[in-house]
């Protein structure tokens, strides 16, 4: 499918495009944190001046071009300033979930060897323990450095091919890998969002997504700043609080994952006022996991919104979306976006464009590879530049696409990707576990829930679910932890001995 011709890279880089917006209407609010009394937010002028001061401060602490900077902070103005400062400096942002366990953090730090870790006060201890050699900058120091007078430093020099971010994602390997995104990738992803959903100066995005994934950071934050829209940020998702934010006159758009829509629906059912708040928005977008037709219909019945479903992945940012102005079809991810090529490859025919098959994507949003694993990129991006997504997609006669299967054994829970092997490895370290098999089980709230089947080391005294849960609590981020443990005699395997995870569902 040939894309509509647009130049997604015409603005050169995000920092340059952002600065053009910020010089114009410098007094306009760029970010407001909902519920934060002490500080009303950042204007565009603040963002411009303070990100430059912070970039100079980071530079004085030894951060130069191409150096990695870990960003493990909750959503808010210190994280926004740090993210912008890192990109303006030409350094590489490595966003991380502040809720990662020490084991998980240690893995990220060992892989990327950051020159600096910017962390929330409550996580400084964990980062220090996980990576004793990593210098740490706490949120208070971000505030101080960003308030210093303007320094004489050259910024905004990065080119499209320069590395801008490393975003960790679960895919085909047991340990999450860092997807390398260039400045061109980030710009193209944000530009697609701006164009496709008509984001502009009059918009206010209610954003309750985490900022360590492409969804919240690459589309929500970067897209809003590029469009000149206002960010109305909730540091963590709460359905009632999110709808109260939507009630504000300046709120116009909401981005979320299906689990959030399930919770919004519950609250709207109980509160007509909050349903009216959702109805007042001009656009609600869902992504990161399939939105069921039933939930789409429920939301429409409650507030009249036809949620716009779109599709993307960390390695390709965003590629397919239901149209802003045309039909939004429930159960479909929509049509290929302008500037992005797509193709479906059936199992039988190697190079035709089938009506059903694995979705392939090519264009400026396709990532530069996995950090320090060059061979892994060759496994997913072919010689012609097509990213093989691993998702099996069917095309309706009029071109709308539907995801109908996954070729890899990934679990998507609450919009987070979890690779079963990572969880199995943690369980198999438990002295009472001989073998573990992990899979996703369908769940109305989470999309899928992680479940674990355990073969005990001693069948006479299998470990209790509580014991296993506590074991996982210390080693895995909350969304990776199995919700159910099933003790079994043996795991389903094929004749070659390969674990058949689909039979565990
Ligand atoms: C948390 N809990 C879970 C899960 N997560 N239980 C089952 N499955 C889960 N996935 C449990 C916790 O252990 C806890 O239980 C209780 O729920 C509350 O946990 P909490 O962390 O407070 O959860 P939450 O805040 O309610 O989280 C739900 C959420 C969150 C808001 C939907 O998961 C979320 O923000 N998801 C978005 C992820 C995202 O941004 N994905 C984009 C990646 P207990 O109390 O017993 O401990 S994909 C992407 O970026 C690509 C580009 C794309 O296309 O979008």
């Amino acid at each position: 499918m040939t894309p509509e011709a647009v130049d997604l890279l015409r603005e050169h880089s995000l920092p340059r495009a952002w600065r053009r917006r910020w010089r114009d209407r410098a007094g306009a609010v760029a970010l407001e944190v909902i519920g934060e009394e002490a500080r009303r937010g950042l204007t565009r002028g603040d963002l411009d001046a303070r990100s430059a001061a912070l970039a100079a401060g980071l530079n004085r602490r030894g951060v130069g071009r191409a150096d990695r900077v870990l960003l493990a902070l909750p959503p808010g103005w210190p994280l926004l300033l740090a993210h912008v400062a890192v990109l303006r400096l030409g350094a590489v942002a490595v966003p991380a979930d502040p809720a990662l366990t020490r084991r998980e953090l240690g893995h990220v730090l060992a892989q990327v060897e950051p020159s600096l870790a910017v962390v929330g006060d409550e996580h400084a201890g964990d980062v220090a323990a996980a990576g004793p050699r990593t210098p740490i900058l706490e949120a208070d120091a971000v505030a101080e450095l960003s308030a210093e007078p303007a320094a004489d430093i050259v910024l905004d020099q990065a080119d499209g091919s320069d590395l801008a971010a490393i975003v960790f994602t679960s895919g085909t390997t047991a340990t999450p890998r860092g997807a390398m995104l260039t400045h061109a990738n980030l710009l193209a992803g944000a530009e697609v969002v701006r164009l496709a959903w008509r984001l502009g100066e009059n918009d206010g995005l209610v954003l309750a997504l985490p900022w360590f994934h492409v969804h919240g950071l690459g589309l929500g934050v970067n897209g809003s700043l590029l469009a000149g829209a206002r960010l109305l940020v909730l540091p963590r998702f709460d359905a009632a609080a999110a709808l109260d934010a939507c009630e504000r006159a300046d709120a116009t758009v909401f981005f979320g994952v299906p689990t959030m829509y399930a919770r919004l629906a519950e609250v709207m059912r109980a509160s007509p006022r909050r349903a009216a708040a959702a109805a007042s928005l001009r656009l609600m977008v869902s992504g990161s996991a399939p939105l069921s037709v039933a939930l789409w219909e429920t939301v429409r019945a409650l507030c009249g919104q036809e949620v716009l479903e779109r599709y993307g992945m960390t390695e390709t940012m965003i590629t397919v979306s239901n149209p802003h102005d045309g039909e939004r079809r429930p159960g479909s991810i929509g049509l290929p976006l302008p500037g992005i090529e797509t193709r479906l490859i059936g199992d039988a025919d190697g190079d035709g464009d089938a009506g059903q098959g694995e979705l392939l994507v090519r264009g400026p949003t396709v990532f530069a590879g996995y950090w320090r694993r060059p061979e892994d990129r060759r496994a997913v991006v072919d010689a012609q530049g097509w990213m093989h997504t691993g998702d099996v997609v069917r095309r309706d006669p009029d071109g709308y696409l539907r995801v109908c299967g996954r070729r890899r054994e990934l679990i998507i829970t609450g919009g987070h990707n979890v690779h079963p092997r990572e969880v199995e490895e943690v369980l198999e370290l438990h002295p009472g576990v001989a073998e573990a098999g992990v899979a996703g089980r369908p769940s109305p709230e989470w999309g899928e829930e992680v479940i674990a089947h355990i073969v005990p080391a001693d069948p006479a005294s299998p470990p209790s679910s509580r014991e296993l849960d506590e074991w996982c609590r210390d080693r895995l981020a909350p969304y990776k932890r199995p919700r159910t443990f099933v003790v079994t005699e043996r795991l389903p395997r094929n004749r070659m001995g390969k674990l058949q995870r689909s039979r565990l569902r």
Side-chain angles (χ1 to χ4, degrees):
M1 287 161 267
T2 322
E4 196 184 306
V6 291
D7 180 7
L8 297 174
L9 303 175
R10 121 196 109 79
E11 295 234 48
H12 188 86
S13 72
L14 277 179
R16 290 209 195 168
W18 288 342
R19 290 211 66 215
R20 278 193 280 275
R21 304 288 177 288
W22 298 339
R23 287 201 197 122
D24 180 38
R25 289 180 59 214
V29 172
L31 166 91
E32 195 173 323
V33 178
I34 305 289
E36 203 170 85
E37 306 266 321
R39 186 174 185 96
R40 293 288 300 157
L42 287 174
T43 64
R44 296 179 184 194
D46 291 337
L47 200 45
D48 190 3
R50 298 190 60 177
S51 66
L54 180 58
L58 297 180
N59 190 242
R60 283 196 304 278
R61 295 192 177 219
V63 179
R65 279 184 85 158
D67 286 339
R68 278 82 59 204
V69 179
L70 185 86
L71 302 175
L73 296 163
W77 62 268
L79 177 53
L80 183 66
L81 284 175
H83 170 63
V84 171
V86 166
L87 294 187
R88 296 191 64 183
L89 202 53
V92 181
V94 186
D97 182 354
L100 289 182
T101 63
R102 283 184 190 182
R103 184 192 73 88
E104 294 165 312
L105 259 175
H107 170 75
V108 171
L109 294 174
Q111 280 196 66
V112 302
E113 300 176 303
S115 304
L116 188 69
V118 187
V119 298
D121 304 339
E122 69 272 44
H123 296 288
D126 283 329
V127 174
R133 284 191 307 279
T134 309
I136 288 176
L137 191 73
E138 293 189 35
D140 287 348
V142 169
E144 280 162 30
L145 290 177
S146 70
E148 287 184 0
D152 194 15
I153 179 169
V154 180
L155 297 172
D156 312 321
Q157 297 302 302
D159 284 322
S161 58
D162 290 337
L163 194 54
I166 300 175
V167 179
F168 277 79
T169 175
S170 285
T172 53
T173 52
T175 41
R177 293 177 294 191
M180 297 190 288
L181 298 168
T182 63
H183 274 271
N185 293 149
L186 294 193
L187 174 61
E191 181 69 347
V192 162
V193 162
R194 185 183 76 77
L195 290 170
W197 305 332
R198 315 269 186 271
L199 270 194
E201 300 267 337
N202 295 327
D203 280 313
L205 173 67
V206 176
L207 188 65
L209 285 158
W211 292 13
F212 49 84
H213 287 307
V214 162
H215 194 169
L217 188 68
L219 310 185
V221 173
N222 292 350
S224 296
L225 295 184
L226 182 66
R230 181 178 295 202
L231 283 163
L232 303 170
V233 169
L234 287 89
R236 54 178 304 124
F237 178 73
D238 171 84
L243 288 167
D244 290 344
C246 294
E247 207 169 12
R248 296 166 46 128
D250 56 354
T252 62
V253 181
F254 179 83
F255 289 178
V257 297
T259 302
M260 292 180 178
Y261 284 99
R263 296 200 190 157
L264 292 177
E266 258 173 59
V267 171
M268 288 194 282
R269 208 172 273 123
S271 162
R273 175 179 67 80
R274 288 186 168 128
S280 73
L281 298 179
R282 74 167 185 84
L283 178 65
M284 296 184 99
V285 180
S286 176
S288 306
L291 180 69
S292 73
V293 174
L295 183 53
W296 191 92
E297 301 279 9
T298 300
V299 172
R300 186 169 62 167
L302 285 165
C303 65
Q305 289 284 350
E306 297 195 338
V307 174
L308 183 156
E309 184 171 8
R310 59 89 192 159
Y311 167 92
M313 62 198 297
T314 306
E315 291 87 340
T316 62
M317 312 278 305
I318 172 168
T319 50
V320 179
S321 171
N322 271 280
H324 180 272
D325 299 319
E327 183 202 352
R328 297 183 196 162
R329 190 170 297 173
S332 160
I333 53 174
L335 303 159
L337 283 161
I340 316 272
E341 289 178 89
T342 58
R343 222 167 121 194
L344 302 185
I345 296 294
D347 281 334
D349 48 312
D351 43 32
D353 196 0
Q356 173 168 329
E358 184 176 3
L359 176 68
L360 272 52
V361 177
R362 186 163 72 176
T365 57
V366 174
F367 78 138
Y370 297 103
W371 176 251
R372 290 193 179 156
R373 300 176 75 127
E375 68 290 354
D376 286 15
R377 184 177 193 270
R378 288 192 285 275
V380 289
V381 181
D382 65 26
Q384 286 75 44
W386 291 101
M387 165 84 200
H388 294 239
T389 63
D391 284 314
V392 179
V393 167
R394 193 172 75 233
R395 188 182 316 105
D396 287 353
D398 57 359
Y400 278 68
L401 302 175
R402 293 169 191 272
V403 177
C404 52
R406 222 174 287 148
R407 294 186 65 172
R408 301 179 189 137
E409 287 166 324
L410 202 64
I411 302 165
I412 307 184
T413 176
H416 294 278
N417 291 359
V418 178
H419 194 274
R421 195 59 213 143
E422 182 181 7
V423 182
E424 288 163 3
E425 279 181 1
V426 164
L427 288 167
E428 285 170 358
L429 289 172
H430 187 284
V433 174
E435 272 187 300
V438 167
R441 178 175 65 190
S443 147
E445 183 183 1
W446 298 101
E448 289 179 299
E449 261 183 359
V450 179
I451 55 163
H453 290 244
I454 299 293
V455 180
D458 174 5
S461 65
S464 70
S465 295
R466 232 196 59 202
E467 209 180 323
L468 292 169
D469 184 53
E470 270 163 26
W471 181 263
C472 292
R473 215 170 267 268
D474 293 338
R475 293 165 177 84
L476 294 168
Y479 57 87
K480 296 179 193 167
R481 279 162 28 211
R483 299 297 129 176
T484 309
F485 296 93
V486 182
V487 175
T488 177
E489 266 175 41
R490 73 173 70 85
L491 297 172
R493 294 187 181 276
N494 69 13
R495 277 194 314 202
M496 310 293 288
K498 188 179 179 316
L499 180 63
Q500 293 174 300
R501 295 196 180 87
S502 58
R503 289 178 54 199
L504 297 174
R505 290 161 65 88

